[in-house]
Amino acid sequence: MDSEINTNTALQEVLNTLEIDRKKIAETYKTCYILFGLAFVLLIVGFFIRIPIIGFLGFAASGITGIVMYFQIEDTAVKYKVAYKTNVVAKALKNINESLILTPQSGLPEYEFISSELFTTKPDRYKTQDLISGTNDKTSFWFAEVHAEYKTETRDKNGTKTHWHTIFKGIVFVADFNKNFEVSTVVRPKGYGEAFSSWFSKNVFSFGNSEVVELENTEFDNKFATYSRNQIEARYILTPAMMERILDLNSKCDETISVSFISSKMYIAFPLSHNYFEAPIHSTLLDPDLLTNDISIVKFMHDIVHELDLNTRIWGKA
């Protein structure tokens, strides 16, 4: 995949042009950091030689120059990053599937993050970007990077302090399951079991009288806790074949995934720490492996449709 991308003449021309911009941005940032460092050195020297006014003037001159340069180049850097996503990454995705569309400034809406019922806390701060959508045979799917947080506050003699805690950071994948489910079925890592069960009684999204579903796959039950208000429908969805496919998908991930079946959609949350699709600033765009990680994660998400056999239409939507 990468060799095909890096031998694409049109794409190489775009990369060569963006590389000029990248070098300018990187050099400007470097100059800013030097000026900031110089500002502090002049301040210290001024106090050391007991002429603080010289230190303050030097600090002000270098510091202000560095700040002005920094904010001026920031606008250029933002445009460079957007151009990289739209002119490099988005075009490279067409090598996986022509239907794939990258929308950098869009993501998974917060209401959909909440309605997926995968997470036990409503976010107080929510960020999402880099929405990728497409179709794989008969199945529509989309996914985006998400960082959701909740806050707590503590009080001490200095006042109130706000602390931010991560609810989820990674990619949320959504696919059409071709069936309108009567109720929600949620599959979460086993470790969330007791906390999740008690959470049901205290939070009202749409869970109602959800209860643990005991399934016939021991390995699946050891890895995941499954909840639903309809035991029959949950077992209808989580067939032996589907459970094996979810286990296989999970084995390819560093952290345990979460899955839910809501309305006519399947949601999968993949905890990830890496931020994908970002243009490098301090390393070259001409690296042959530049797109390796980005292409790999998109291909992984794209192939979920086949991994879980979502194109096999066992049911029809009511």
Side-chain angles (χ1 to χ4, degrees), residues 53-70:
I53 187 64
I54 293 178
F56 280 120
L57 289 175
F59 177 82
S62 295
I64 292 172
T65 302
I67 289 170
V68 170
M69 290 180 65
Y70 186 88

Side-chain angles (χ1 to χ4, degrees), residues 35-108:
L35 286 170
F36 294 148
L38 180 61
F40 283 102
V41 169
L42 290 172
L43 184 63
I44 293 169
V45 169
F47 278 97
F48 184 77
I49 63 175
R50 297 184 180 181
I51 311 178
I53 187 64
I54 293 178
F56 280 120
L57 289 175
F59 177 82
S62 295
I64 292 172
T65 302
I67 289 170
V68 170
M69 290 180 65
Y70 186 88
F71 280 104
Q72 285 179 338
I73 203 63
E74 270 289 279
D75 185 53
T76 303
V78 169
K79 292 178 181 177
Y80 158 75
K81 291 175 181 179
V82 172
Y84 173 78
K85 289 183 180 182
T86 55
N87 298 328
V88 177
V89 179
K91 290 181 179 178
L93 298 187
K94 299 297 182 180
N95 288 277
I96 299 173
N97 183 322
E98 277 291 334
S99 74
L100 291 178
I101 298 173
L102 168 63
T103 313
Q105 293 164 325
S106 293
L108 187 78

Side-chain angles (χ1 to χ4, degrees), residues 174-190:
V174 191
D176 173 23
F177 204 72
N178 198 48
K179 175 178 171 57
N180 289 319
F181 306 115
E182 292 182 6
V183 299
S184 58
T185 295
V186 181
V187 177
R188 291 197 53 98
K190 194 70 171 184

Side-chain angles (χ1 to χ4, degrees), residues 2 97 196 271 303:
D2 257 338
N97 183 322
F196 199 44
D303 290 348

Side-chain angles (χ1 to χ4, degrees), residues 248-265:
D248 184 56
L249 182 66
N250 186 69
S251 70
K252 298 174 182 177
C253 303
D254 292 333
E255 295 188 45
T256 306
I257 64 175
S258 301
V259 185
S260 66
F261 303 86
I262 313 286
S263 298
S264 61
K265 298 174 185 175

